[in-house]
Amino acid sequence: MRLLVTGAAGLLGRELLRAAAQHDVVPAYHSQPVQGGVQFDVRRPDQVRDVIREVAPDAIVHAAYKQDDWATTATGAANVALAAEGVRLVFVSTDVVFGPRGTPWNESEPPCPTTPYGAAKAAAETAIRALRPDAVIARTSLIVGSDGASEEERRVRRLAAGEPGAFYRANIRCPIHVTDLASALLELLLLDVAGITHVAGPEPLSRHELGRLIAARDNLDPDALPSEPGTPSDIRLDSSRTQDLLRTRLRAPSEFLRTAS
């Protein structure tokens, strides 16, 4: 399979390149070069069209986004979908297409974002479903790695070292290991499924609880991490339906953060 991975310079993109090494993988990037990759701007429909025609992929995992830029996150996803005629497409979306509530969200519920980033991803989902109804939209949550490269892990180190800030006890999500997420996305490429899927961890945790687990794994003092309640934001994805489709087991942070492996 010839696979084009956008956002290949990011945490998830790099893991996808590693996990898909048995395939003919072409990394795509915007500003941070990736060895053997192609450069293009997803905001430019002409560039997107030309690269997809040149690469001629069998499948695309679209993981590129920019949290504070509507054009990259929403318009860019629509540009990829428009140019991906006849190409299997998996789009990586987010749990924040929903707002906070005390119970998990399932795949059948319509988005109700409360942030600009969530609204951009929801718009991207709408465009992809209209343009490519056979595409997979994979909503996920906070992504954590093993090598300290994720934003959550970097923040733990900064705050443990005494930098200003705090972890919120009322901000609850369903973190997932980047290896599990990449494996699941590659499985979804090959499965006969379409539409919305949820690919998040099975264990809801507050940002503070997650930070403490990361600190303990990294031999830092969890009690050194400052915390405060923060604005209540409980956003949980029910991933049980998608988990039933997958061989990949979506592990809980309390499991994958027990060791550095």
Side-chain angles (χ1 to χ4, degrees), residues 30-193:
H30 178 223
S31 56
Q32 184 178 340
V34 178
Q35 185 176 7
V38 293
Q39 191 277 337
F40 71 104
D41 186 339
V42 295
R43 298 170 296 184
R44 294 275 306 275
D46 56 333
Q47 290 188 12
V48 175
R49 182 184 62 248
D50 291 347
V51 166
I52 290 177
R53 284 178 178 173
E54 179 183 346
V55 173
D58 302 301
I60 299 171
V61 176
H62 181 49
Y65 74 99
K66 191 174 181 181
Q67 198 163 90
D68 58 354
D69 182 37
W70 179 281
T72 297
T73 301
T75 308
N79 290 338
V80 170
L82 191 61
E85 184 174 2
V87 179
R88 178 67 165 160
L89 175 62
V90 169
F91 169 63
V92 183
S93 190
T94 174
D95 51 6
V96 296
V97 298
F98 297 115
R101 74 176 188 189
T103 56
W105 296 94
N106 64 50
E107 295 91 339
S108 66
E109 296 180 279
C112 52
T114 60
T115 65
Y117 174 57
K121 282 288 194 177
E125 289 187 6
T126 299
I128 290 170
R129 295 185 78 179
L131 292 165
R132 299 285 172 246
D134 58 344
V136 174
I137 293 168
R139 295 174 181 148
T140 192
S141 188
L142 299 178
I143 305 174
V144 181
S146 299
D147 59 0
S150 72
E151 176 55 31
E152 292 299 311
E153 292 164 287
R154 292 194 298 266
R155 193 157 180 259
V156 166
R157 293 195 297 272
R158 292 197 303 268
L159 268 63
E163 290 191 18
F167 284 99
Y168 294 141
R169 297 189 298 273
N171 187 315
I172 298 171
R173 308 285 285 281
C174 292
I176 186 168
H177 196 284
V178 67
T179 299
D180 297 350
L181 177 56
S183 177
L185 294 175
L186 293 173
E187 274 197 67
L188 289 170
L189 271 180
L190 300 174
L191 290 173
D192 184 19
V193 297

Side-chain angles (χ1 to χ4, degrees), residues 107 187 198-200 202 239-251:
E107 295 91 339
E187 274 197 67
H198 285 180
V199 189
S239 300
S240 57
R241 185 180 72 86
T242 302
Q243 177 65 95
D244 287 343
L245 301 173
L246 298 171
R247 296 189 307 274
T248 299
R249 187 168 64 87
L250 306 176
R251 296 169 293 165

Side-chain angles (χ1 to χ4, degrees), residues 222-237:
D223 295 330
L225 298 180
S227 70
E228 57 186 57
T231 303
S233 180
D234 185 340
I235 304 177
R236 312 179 190 199
L237 293 182

